[in-house]
Amino acid sequence: MLSGVVVVSGKDSVQHQGVSLTSEGAVNLQLSAKSVGVFEAFYNSVKPVQIINSTIEMVKLGKFPSGKTEIPFEFPLHVKELLCAKPWLIMLPHWVLTKYTLCCDMRRSLLAKDLTKTCEFIIHSAPQKGKLTPSPVDFTVTPETLKNVKERALLPKFLIRGHLNSTNCVITNPLTGELVVESSEATIKSIELQLVHMETCSCAEGYARDATEIQNFQIANGDVCQGLSVPMHMVFPQLFTWRHWRPPTSKWSSRLTLLCCFALSTSSQRTSR
């Protein structure tokens, strides 16, 4: 449900041919410097996906008196049934942008210019009914479990164990868990958590995939005591975090990376989704 007030103010009375409100929502593909040479072919072939497009007549032909006039409104947002059962949340990813706008038009006579005002609004999803089933995950990080390591023999020996209380999270609740450094030959400088957003877009030419860092924060500083439990507590930035989703032309998911930095200028990573 979208509600608000349209305010018309002026020193003199204003004659008009009607006032209308138009709500629009669309999923667009946007290019950036990072995607040059990789994503340009998709930009020309993927058209914007329109989610919402509705117009209501607020005031018929007439005249507004001088001073301030307030016109309240409230109407439901109807989405196209072929796309989804409810509006998509407002999202600000790297390639795919979901945007909702509200445009107010005041039509005037031929000799006077029409007045238009556009603003952007955000959609919040209703709280889920029922309790979310936890999906805890245990993880172990060693030099052998790392991926994309060119010189594995240069890495120090270490063992880190931990668990996430759930990988199926409510966006308004934090991600929690803990980890324990069982052993480490090298001195640890810090341990960090990194939230990464994965975007995959597809069209007739194929598909493209990109990873964008959403936030990175430190959970331990300095050489961590071995055998000591280190808590993990991450609050999701709501405008830059969204659920795992697979719309018709794209896919969105999130990835959590544990980054352990050693004093020897080497690092180890363990990714858990």
Side-chain angles (χ1 to χ4, degrees), residues 134-156:
S135 53
V137 172
D138 296 327
F139 60 87
T140 302
V141 186
T142 63
E144 290 73 24
T145 61
L146 302 181
K147 298 179 180 179
N148 301 325
V149 178
K150 295 181 180 180
E151 298 179 351
R152 195 180 301 272
L154 299 179
L155 292 176

Side-chain angles (χ1 to χ4, degrees), residues 21 59 69 73 77 86 99 107 121 191 223 240 262:
L21 274 181
V59 181
T69 303
F73 65 88
L77 297 174
K86 57 184 178 180
K99 186 176 182 180
R107 299 181 299 276
F121 63 93
I191 299 177
D223 196 11
F240 296 89
F262 295 95

Side-chain angles (χ1 to χ4, degrees), residues 14-149:
V14 179
Q15 193 164 2
H16 61 88
Q17 305 295 321
V19 178
S20 61
L21 274 181
T22 301
S23 58
E24 293 183 347
V27 180
N28 296 287
L29 193 64
Q30 59 180 6
L31 287 176
S32 66
K34 189 177 180 180
S35 61
V36 173
V38 179
F39 217 52
E40 293 171 336
F42 293 87
Y43 185 78
N44 296 324
S45 60
V46 177
K47 297 181 180 180
V49 180
Q50 194 172 63
I51 306 171
I52 297 173
N53 187 0
S54 60
T55 302
I56 62 170
E57 190 75 18
M58 296 188 63
V59 181
K60 296 182 179 180
L61 184 147
K63 179 186 292 186
F64 288 117
S66 59
K68 181 178 179 181
T69 303
E70 294 186 352
I71 310 170
F73 65 88
E74 182 177 278
F75 59 91
L77 297 174
H78 298 290
V79 300
K80 296 186 177 181
E81 297 180 357
L82 296 178
L83 292 176
C84 54
K86 57 184 178 180
W88 294 6
L89 298 180
I90 187 75
M91 290 178 275
L92 303 173
H94 191 68
W95 283 344
V96 183
L97 175 65
T98 306
K99 186 176 182 180
Y100 297 96
T101 58
L102 184 66
C103 180
C104 181
D105 295 309
M106 179 189 293
R107 299 181 299 276
R108 305 175 70 185
S109 61
L110 295 177
L111 300 179
K113 186 178 180 181
D114 293 347
L115 301 179
T116 301
K117 179 65 176 180
T118 303
C119 65
E120 185 176 351
F121 63 93
I122 297 175
I123 288 182
H124 294 274
S125 62
Q128 295 182 351
K129 297 181 180 179
K131 294 183 179 179
L132 192 66
T133 303
S135 53
V137 172
D138 296 327
F139 60 87
T140 302
V141 186
T142 63
E144 290 73 24
T145 61
L146 302 181
K147 298 179 180 179
N148 301 325
V149 178

Side-chain angles (χ1 to χ4, degrees), residues 152-211:
R152 195 180 301 272
L154 299 179
L155 292 176
K157 298 295 181 181
F158 62 91
L159 173 60
I160 300 176
R161 300 183 188 274
H163 76 272
L164 298 176
N165 294 331
S166 180
T167 56
N168 191 9
C169 304
V170 179
I171 193 172
T172 55
N173 296 338
L175 175 72
T176 58
E178 63 178 9
L179 64 85
V180 177
V181 179
E182 301 289 353
S183 62
S184 177
E185 292 182 350
T187 302
I188 297 177
K189 292 179 61 178
S190 65
I191 299 177
E192 302 171 0
L193 280 180
Q194 183 184 67
L195 182 63
V196 179
H197 172 63
M198 306 297 298
E199 292 180 73
T200 303
C201 298
S202 60
C203 67
E205 285 77 10
Y207 70 94
R209 186 179 183 184
D210 184 42

